């Protein structure tokens, strides 16, 4: 026993000697500890289950596709009846690290967020009651929920809590930049490092900092120049009614930004280089040179982490008691 | 070496002694041998990639959802712009065992089938050329295709072939009924066995036989009674123009039928009991008693096999050269 401890200490000591963590405005991300595997598995099933939508066709994964960086790679999402969504679907990856959810922060946490799209007529087009009715009709779900939550009756709370618990596992550690942050000099190239130095020196880290490289403040989109868009979203002002909050949005994470195109709340920019250029002009009052944009973009691509890796979940089948989805208006 | 051979022989001998295969009109399914893992992995990515659709939202998996028995569990599918599809989406599970693809058999094999939905304006709404343009813009795909197919240039042939090769792996062995077929008396209950005996004696096995318990012939829907439906599909007659082929459809597989509701080419019946009742009346001229229907339904639920199990694939990201999806009509 003593021997093992000594060995463990000497390993961690030599790792620390090899790679001293750096003191930077960005911190590395760590894998999420899973404390309740059964809850996570339940949440994973629900995340992939299109029966939480009116049509039986749209699941959480439809717009937060875990094969595609936790986003749908569309300017705004496709909702029930092919409605055009009002705002770009933010990545679900590392979303537990954000100070609030949605672009305007109107949900305090992931559980509250998960309930939103289900009952949004523009998104999944369902109601919480109807979603609960579907899940409560399926014995395998009822059994899991009873076992995990020690409740007699299924409610929307267990459904959204399980989804949130699954989402908390969707972190993406070990990006090359994280390895560099932990002291591995070779994890990024000299060119990428120049990009990071620029990223700091021009002021990007004023908002894009911390573990999630964003996600921890609300900022006005368009400080030095107005952001020109047809998108009607007003940001936090939509909640507060305060003029000062117009176009104030949650700063998005830059982790996995290579995967989460198109960019900004209206999804108007597909190229990362363009997004960097627009941000520097509008938020920092600075026109970057082409080679500066190239370097910062190269740095941003070092933020792609290990994507969540798991077996495609199998969904318990509906049965004769399960309400039938309504994809099309009745004729 | 000799010892090992003897041991292997004695194991297979004792297994055979324990479980003699039965001589039945239905044969057990075996796992699909994978001969080219790289091709299957490529096909899996493409199967899950919504960039093969005009909208960037619909993938093969949207309507052949591998979390839900390889089907979408809707009467007919939701296509581009939320169009209502003309016919029920058949399961992709075990589809390699069918004599042809689509309800009317118009595709000879899975590769030909895979090309259909991509360019169907009612489904993925794209063209083969545009799909090839997307895939050919993504270096990781190009590299995989070059490595697997030894070609210089990506064409629709490699894309659909890889999808088909992945689909060939989607077999579902070891259903309880397969275990019974292989000699395990305890794999199904006495009640389920009565169901199977009825299934044979009333004549279901005339069409639902072989390894896929269907999928190996075309038959007229409505032999004794007309099938009443609003669905305009005419079956094989749509291809042949022959009046004799009206309402002739490929007999669907009954494997995993518990998961592939709703039933028939129009997806009009959600309850397996109702489907059994309709089939007996229309195809066999027989009104089954309620307890007969119960037994046959119980037997049918023994046909649920092991579902394909694999890691959710990660898709290589688009880049500045990748054509942008067009989910909504341009304004």
């Amino acid at each position: 026993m003593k021997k093992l401890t000594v060995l463990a200490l000497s390993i961690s000591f030599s790792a620390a000697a090899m790679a001293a963590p750096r003191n930077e405005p960005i911190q590395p991300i760590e894998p999420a500890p899973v404390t309740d595997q059964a809850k996570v598995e339940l949440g994973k099933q629900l995340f992939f289950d299109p029966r939480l939508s009116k049509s039986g066709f749209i699941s959480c994964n439809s717009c937060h596709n875990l094969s595609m960086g936790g986003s749908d790679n569309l300017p705004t999402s496709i909702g029930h009846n092919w409605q055009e969504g009002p705002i770009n679907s933010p990545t679900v990856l590392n979303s537990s690290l954000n100070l609030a959810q949605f672009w305007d922060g109107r949900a305090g946490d992931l559980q509250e967020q998960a309930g939103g799209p289900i009952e949004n007529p523009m998104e999944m087009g369902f109601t919480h009651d109807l979603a609960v009715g579907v899940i409560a009709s399926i014995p395998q779900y009822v059994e899991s929920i009873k076992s995990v939550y020690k409740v007699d009756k299924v409610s929307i709370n267990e459904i959204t809590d399980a989804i949130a618990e699954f989402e908390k596992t969707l972190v993406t550690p070990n990006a090359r930049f994280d390895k560099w942050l932990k002291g591995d000099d070779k994890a990024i190239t000299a060119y990428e490092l120049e990009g990071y130095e620029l990223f700091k020196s021009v002021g990007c880290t004023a908002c894009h900092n911390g573990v999630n490289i964003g996600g921890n403040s609300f900022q006005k989109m368009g400080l030095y120049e107005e952001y020109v868009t047809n998108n009607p979203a007003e940001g936090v002002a939509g909640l507060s009614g305060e003029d000062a909050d117009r176009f104030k949005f949650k700063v998005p994470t830059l982790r996995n930004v290579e995967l989460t195109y198109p960019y900004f709340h209206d999804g108007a920019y597909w190229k990362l280089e363009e997004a960097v250029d627009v941000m520097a002009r509008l938020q920092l009052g600075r026109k970057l040179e082409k080679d500066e944009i190239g370097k910062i973009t190269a740095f941003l691509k070092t933020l792609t982490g290990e994507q969540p890796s798991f077996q495609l979940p199998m969904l318990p089948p509906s049965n004769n008691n399960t309400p039938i989805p309504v994809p099309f208006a009745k004729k």
Side-chain angles (χ1 to χ4, degrees), chain A:
Chain A
M1 197 61 185
K2 227 173 206 170
K3 229 176 191 170
L4 267 175
T5 315
V6 172
L7 186 67
L9 276 173
S10 75
I11 286 171
S12 79
F13 174 76
S14 72
M18 242 172 47
R22 297 175 213 264
N23 184 19
E24 294 290 340
I26 296 173
Q27 285 86 47
I29 204 169
E30 299 299 336
V34 172
T35 51
D36 188 337
Q37 190 61 42
K39 196 182 278 187
V40 168
E41 289 301 322
L42 170 64
K44 186 191 299 173
Q45 288 181 310
L46 292 166
F47 187 88
F48 277 84
D49 202 326
R51 288 170 296 187
L52 292 179
S53 68
K54 181 179 183 182
S55 62
F57 188 64
I58 299 179
S59 70
C60 304
N61 193 64
S62 298
C63 302
H64 302 285
N65 193 324
L66 293 171
S67 299
M68 311 197 306
S71 70
D72 57 8
N73 293 145
L74 295 174
T76 65
S77 295
I78 294 170
H80 184 78
N81 207 21
W82 212 264
Q83 289 173 93
E84 190 169 354
I87 206 157
N88 181 259
S89 177
T91 179
V92 68
L93 298 178
N94 308 306
S95 55
S96 59
L97 304 171
N98 295 335
L99 83 166
Q101 303 302 323
F102 294 116
W103 281 93
D104 57 8
R106 68 183 181 278
D109 59 26
L110 285 172
Q111 184 185 7
E112 194 182 342
Q113 189 283 329
I118 294 172
E119 65 175 0
N120 188 325
M122 301 277 292
E123 301 184 27
M124 294 162 92
F126 221 21
T127 70
H128 286 178
D129 279 353
L130 290 170
V132 168
V134 168
I135 300 305
S137 76
I138 300 169
Q140 297 93 319
Y141 270 136
V142 173
E143 203 177 302
S144 295
I145 290 170
K146 281 188 178 172
S147 149
V148 165
Y149 289 98
K150 320 292 175 207
V151 292
D152 284 334
K153 220 170 150 249
V154 177
S155 79
I156 193 68
N157 295 330
E158 292 78 51
I159 293 173
T160 53
D161 183 72
I163 292 173
E165 289 301 308
F166 168 60
E167 290 176 339
K168 287 177 193 170
T169 69
L170 303 175
V171 297
T172 61
N174 298 320
R176 286 195 291 120
F177 188 68
D178 286 332
K179 291 179 182 164
W180 181 85
L181 281 173
K182 288 182 173 183
D184 178 357
D185 287 334
K186 302 218 164 125
I188 66 174
T189 66
Y191 186 76
E192 290 160 347
L193 183 56
E194 279 183 67
Y196 176 53
E197 295 300 341
L198 266 170
F199 184 82
K200 285 193 289 187
S201 63
V202 302
C204 307
T205 44
C207 300
H208 292 288
N209 57 45
V211 175
N212 213 11
I213 322 175
N216 53 359
S217 70
F218 294 89
Q219 303 291 344
K220 189 178 167 182
M221 176 73 163
L223 280 177
Y224 285 80
E225 282 180 41
E226 200 186 335
Y227 182 62
V228 179
T229 178
N230 292 324
N231 189 294
E234 298 231 314
V236 178
L239 303 174
S240 70
E242 300 288 333
D243 201 51
D245 291 335
R246 280 188 75 208
F247 310 126
K248 216 180 247 184
F249 295 99
K250 189 181 64 190
V251 176
T253 176
L254 292 182
R255 289 194 175 273
N256 308 295
V257 70
E258 179 186 12
L259 309 179
T260 60
Y261 53 88
Y263 304 109
F264 306 145
H265 68 277
D266 59 354
Y269 290 85
W270 289 82
K271 296 179 180 171
L272 197 43
E273 291 84 353
E274 289 176 353
V276 170
D277 174 54
V278 169
M279 277 286 102
R281 283 192 289 106
L282 271 58
Q283 304 305 103
L284 303 168
R286 179 149 178 175
K287 178 86 188 87
L288 294 175
E289 300 298 324
K290 204 180 159 187
D291 77 300
E292 293 175 314
I293 292 173
K295 284 172 185 168
I296 292 177
T297 301
F299 154 65
L300 291 174
K301 290 185 180 178
T302 70
L303 300 175
T304 306
E306 284 172 6
Q307 301 298 295
S309 174
F310 53 82
Q311 300 284 110
L312 183 76
M314 292 298 128
L315 305 182
S318 297
N319 56 57
N320 292 352
N321 299 319
T322 307
I324 287 170
V326 184
F328 303 105
K330 285 191 182 130
K331 282 166 284 193

